[in-house]
Amino acid sequence: MSSGRSAPTTDEVARYAERAAAAGIETTRTPREEATAAIGAACRGETVATVLPFDVDLPAGATVDPTTAHLEAADTGVTAGTLAVAEYGTVVVTPTTRKEGSVSLLPERHVAVVRASDVVADMLAGFDRLGEAFAAGRNDAVLVTGPSATADMGELVEGVHGPAEMHVVIVGSEP
Amino acid sequence: MSSEESRAGKAARIRAILDAEGEAVAANARHLNDRRYEAIDELGAERYEELRETVRGIKEDAIDRLPELLATVEAAVEDNGGEVYVADDAADATDYIESVCAGLDAESVVKSKSMTTEEIGVNEALEEAGVAVHETDLGELVIQLADETPSHLIGPGFHKSREEIARLFNERFDPEEPLETADELTAFARDYLADRIDEADVGMTGANFVVAETGTIALVTNEGNARKVIESTNHHVAVTGIEKLLPTLESLRPFVELIGRTATGQSAAIYNTLVSGPVNSPPVPFGDPDAERTFHLVLIDNGRRAMREDPDLRETLYCIRCGACNNSCANFQSVGGHAFGGETYTGGIGTGWEAGVHDLESAGGMNDFCTGCSRCEPACPVKIDIPWLNTVVRDRVNRGADPGEFDFLVEGLVPDDEHGGIDRQKRFFGNFPTLPSRERSWSRCSASTPAVTCRHSAARRSSSGSRHAGPSHPGSRSGRPSSIPTPTRTT
Ligand code: SF4
């Protein structure tokens, strides 16, 4: 948990879940002790993952630091979400050398793991946090608000260049 | 256009476009309008207006400080390990991009959607230089395969129905099973493009916004193709207009909250991707982890600095290219962008862009479609007075190259500065809200503009009087467009 930042109220996490649902994102809330199991339950089929930058273990079946072949064969990609914005249901993926960029984008399903302390109320607070990350040199970020979609083929289709399904696991909050 | 084409000829051409494209255009525009109203309702009228005020202020300030922001972004991108090139015009930009590709021995480029690259004709230039170019936005792919031009700012294939796209794909790719549904077409296009993206040497994107302070570009997409293009190539060329500069990361925030709503009626676009210089995520397929990554930001002038000096066209530079003005336009909803014309930009704000980056002829053709009804203005997230821009362009076209040529003949002879450029019919419609309320009780402003109130009629009512008897226009300032030094607002 970041220093000096108060934990979000249960309401904020609940609001996140509600707004995420409106954006087509499933959510699970889990206490820290059960986080690994909750992540596992959110995955489908072959799973690739990137190491989480906080103290939560990945499920045993997930292939960490995947090769191209793993990535291409994967049904699910697990990455951290470094920030979540309750008002929009947005989750932020921070691509690094650990391959969060491709793992979050290429498999059919993306599972993002977010700490409850990283859920902020609105975009204003979200951009404050982004500003801090940028100042610290992490100036590459993707704000994701739902599964990849297009209407260019005459009707809305989910799953174009990115995942068709998204699931956010919020760690450190009681369901 | 109007000078070269007879009225009957033009009518026949519009009818043909109506037949071929009208149905798809109408369905798409109305669908997007409904979604936009919902997304703005969700925000609440008050917040929406607040955000519009905020982004308007940010754009006015940014365009004001453009030279300073250009210097800032150059330094910031270099700090991040990238390069900035400011191109004077289209040829300068395409020469530079060609030289970057040649320096990398690039054989193929994958692109995410960018109207600015359409404006400078980058695909044609690269193809002539022997570099293959593949569009990865599905709408843009359809247009590339059909060898057509985009008919809408954000929906290049706005005028195409699913059936037409299926026919095009089946003819072009001859798949084992003919493609039919939107799901099948999307899956096919994704797989086809995945191979193109894997093979590509260079990824080219536009940029919806550029944050000067941090040297960051923001890309707004729903498909995820911009990020995929960047993730999968070692070399990223981002091409955009100099007007996209914003001072700080914080100043980007209200745009992120607005652009999804006015563009596609989403609370937020699905992917708001922020990239600052070469990314360090390993490109797919994973190869040499130490391979060099490069980032080139090409900022294009191509008339924009002159627009900045032009008190009437300057406002065009605030445009974030969301397309809401196209969708809200009663005429655009029926005929679409191909009837409106314009070399690159069409409908709504297309007039201002064409006048600025191409010429009056290209802008003037579409101008004929504007009735001055002003439905577009409250739809614009940056509060651009688009009908006024149409009036300005109409005036310039009508007055020709030397607007003041015959003014001396009538100097002192007329009671008011009669507006020579606007014909009576247009003036009548332009002044419609000033008619006594009984006559206009069925007006658009009283019933049919959901979620937003028409500030024109309110302003008009409170200030109606003799000045509206003269040359005017809804939401406008009275008098001759070019005589007003800085845009002033009625509210
Ligand atoms: S003029 Fe306004 S409504 Fe039209 S595309 Fe630009 S920002 Fe959107």
Side-chain angles (χ1 to χ4, degrees):
Chain A
M1 188 179 295
S2 314
S3 59
R5 214 167 252 129
S6 57
T9 62
T10 312
D11 281 358
E12 237 159 63
V13 174
R15 172 96 176 126
Y16 178 79
E18 187 191 312
R19 296 296 296 152
I25 303 174
E26 306 156 9
T27 51
T28 310
R29 286 188 264 168
T30 173
R32 179 174 290 265
E33 310 76 63
E34 291 161 30
T36 304
I39 298 166
C43 297
R44 307 267 178 277
E46 292 296 314
T47 299
V48 291
T50 60
V51 175
L52 303 174
F54 36 78
D55 190 20
V56 170
D57 288 333
L58 290 160
T63 306
V64 180
D65 192 18
T67 62
T68 308
H70 287 137
L71 191 65
E72 280 171 357
D75 303 297
T76 302
V78 181
T79 71
T82 48
L83 176 69
V85 181
E87 191 187 358
Y88 284 86
T90 302
V91 60
V92 177
V93 173
T94 303
T96 72
T97 51
R98 288 189 298 254
K99 303 178 180 169
E100 287 88 346
S102 44
V103 168
S104 67
L105 196 62
L106 300 190
E108 179 81 4
R109 183 174 173 86
H110 175 213
V111 175
V113 184
V114 179
R115 294 179 299 183
S117 56
D118 290 326
V119 180
V120 299
D122 52 22
M123 273 297 170
L124 208 60
F127 267 75
D128 273 355
R129 291 282 297 267
L130 277 176
E132 290 170 22
F134 271 49
R138 293 185 302 278
N139 55 10
D140 192 10
V142 189
L143 286 68
V144 188
T145 313
S148 156
T150 188
D152 284 349
M153 294 294 154
E155 277 159 44
L156 184 74
V157 178
E158 292 193 328
V160 195
H161 294 289
E165 297 169 13
M166 273 193 74
H167 193 112
V168 172
V169 178
I170 305 166
V171 178
S173 73
E174 298 296 332
Chain B
M1 192 176 290
S2 40
S3 56
E4 289 156 22
E5 197 178 12
S6 73
R7 290 173 75 97
K10 185 168 184 172
R13 184 171 59 81
I14 294 167
R15 266 196 295 274
I17 294 172
L18 253 172
D19 283 345
E21 302 179 352
E23 211 175 308
V25 165
N28 283 328
R30 282 164 198 159
H31 176 67
L32 283 180
N33 282 332
D34 288 341
R35 290 189 48 134
R36 188 176 77 250
Y37 304 146
E38 278 170 32
I40 291 168
D41 274 348
E42 177 194 274
L43 195 63
E46 204 177 313
R47 270 282 311 283
Y48 175 60
E49 281 309 319
E50 244 175 61
L51 279 171
R52 288 177 85 211
E53 285 291 339
T54 306
V55 295
R56 171 82 192 188
I58 293 169
K59 282 307 263 188
E60 283 179 3
D61 170 65
I63 295 301
D64 211 36
R65 289 162 55 198
L66 190 57
E68 173 202 327
L69 295 183
L70 272 171
T72 307
V73 79
E74 279 185 58
V77 169
E78 269 165 40
D79 267 1
N80 295 335
E83 277 173 46
V84 176
Y85 184 78
V86 181
D88 288 337
D89 56 23
D92 188 12
T94 52
D95 284 352
Y96 175 77
I97 296 164
E98 264 180 68
S99 74
V100 168
C101 291
L104 297 167
D105 284 329
E107 286 171 13
S108 82
V109 171
V110 277
K111 276 181 73 196
S112 79
K113 193 184 113 52
S114 147
M115 285 305 286
T116 309
T117 62
E118 300 274 348
E119 172 190 324
I120 61 171
V122 91
N123 292 18
E124 296 76 10
L126 285 177
E127 276 158 8
E128 254 170 54
V131 182
V133 181
H134 299 283
E135 296 285 355
T136 63
D137 173 90
L138 298 200
E140 205 55 71
L141 170 70
V142 167
I143 293 307
Q144 189 181 32
L145 293 174
D147 196 19
E148 291 180 14
T149 54
S151 68
H152 188 280
L153 272 172
I154 64 156
F158 211 73
H159 56 285
K160 288 238 177 286
S161 65
R162 178 178 54 78
E163 291 78 8
E164 279 173 273
I165 298 167
R167 212 176 307 129
L168 179 72
F169 275 38
N170 289 330
E171 274 170 27
R172 172 67 196 255
F173 297 110
D174 197 15
E176 277 168 34
E177 288 281 313
L179 304 164
E180 196 185 324
T181 64
D183 278 317
E184 289 166 2
L185 290 163
T186 302
F188 183 88
R190 174 187 49 218
D191 293 346
Y192 168 77
L193 289 171
D195 293 340
R196 307 288 85 72
I197 293 171
D198 275 356
E199 293 158 8
D201 306 295
V202 172
M204 189 182 297
T205 68
N208 294 81
F209 306 97
V210 180
V211 178
E213 186 185 54
T214 57
T216 304
I217 64 165
L219 292 155
V220 182
T221 76
N222 282 325
E223 296 184 1
N225 56 319
R227 187 72 210 187
K228 197 169 182 180
V229 157
I230 298 165
E231 286 291 339
S232 310
T233 50
N234 280 324
H235 307 285
H236 178 187
V237 179
V239 184
T240 198
I242 53 175
E243 84 283 5
K244 301 286 178 68
L245 281 162
L246 298 176
T248 58
L249 188 64
E250 158 51 23
S251 63
L252 172 64
R253 192 264 314 164
F255 292 94
V256 168
E257 297 199 68
L258 268 183
I259 194 168
R261 296 181 200 273
T262 62
T264 45
Q266 296 163 283
S267 310
I270 292 167
Y271 297 100
N272 282 283
T273 298
L274 310 181
V275 177
S276 319
V279 295
N280 65 6
S281 47
V284 186
F286 302 128
D288 174 7
D290 298 321
E292 197 203 1
R293 309 289 293 266
T294 64
F295 174 79
H296 304 263
L297 176 60
V298 186
L299 294 172
I300 289 165
D301 176 350
N302 205 33
R304 288 166 175 78
R305 281 192 261 226
M307 289 165 83
R308 184 171 169 270
E309 301 301 324
D310 182 323
D312 290 312
L313 291 186
R314 182 181 173 113
E315 211 183 352
T316 307
L317 298 173
Y318 307 156
C319 171
I320 59 171
R321 301 186 170 185
C322 70
C325 52
N326 284 358
N327 304 332
S328 64
C329 173
N331 275 339
F332 191 96
Q333 283 177 26
S334 298
V335 289
H338 285 155
F340 272 73
E343 242 172 84
T344 307
Y345 304 101
T346 185
I349 193 65
T351 313
W353 280 118
E354 285 298 320
V357 307
H358 292 125
D359 51 39
L360 275 182
E361 199 190 322
S362 180
M366 77 181 85
N367 206 272
D368 290 344
F369 288 84
C370 176
T371 61
C373 84
S374 292
R375 274 183 68 94
C376 51
E377 196 277 343
C380 175
V382 206
K383 305 184 85 158
I384 298 174
D385 196 341
I386 303 149
W388 174 251
L389 285 165
N390 273 299
T391 306
V392 168
V393 169
R394 163 60 55 224
D395 186 62
R396 290 185 186 179
V397 169
N398 286 358
R399 281 165 188 269
D402 184 4
E405 200 181 357
F406 298 111
D407 280 3
F408 74 94
L409 288 174
V410 292
E411 215 164 341
L413 294 178
V414 284
D416 272 318
D417 179 17
E418 265 297 329
H419 198 297
I422 309 297
D423 63 33
R424 285 175 189 283
Q425 183 188 345
K426 194 150 281 184
R427 276 170 50 193
F428 172 77
F429 283 110
N431 284 300
F432 192 67
T434 69
L435 293 177
S437 58
R438 193 162 40 82
E439 272 85 339
R440 59 173 176 76
S441 58
W442 43 273
S443 146
R444 67 192 158 81
C445 300
S446 59
S448 62
T449 313
V452 283
T453 50
C454 177
R455 66 192 178 85
H456 292 141
S457 54
R460 272 312 146 85
R461 273 193 295 276
S462 61
S463 64
S464 64
S466 60
R467 81 183 176 96
H468 298 305
S472 193
H473 167 274
S476 78
R477 320 75 178 176
S478 58
R480 198 176 129 187
S482 52
S483 69
I484 309 291
T486 34
T488 50
R489 305 254 134 223
T490 50
T491 52

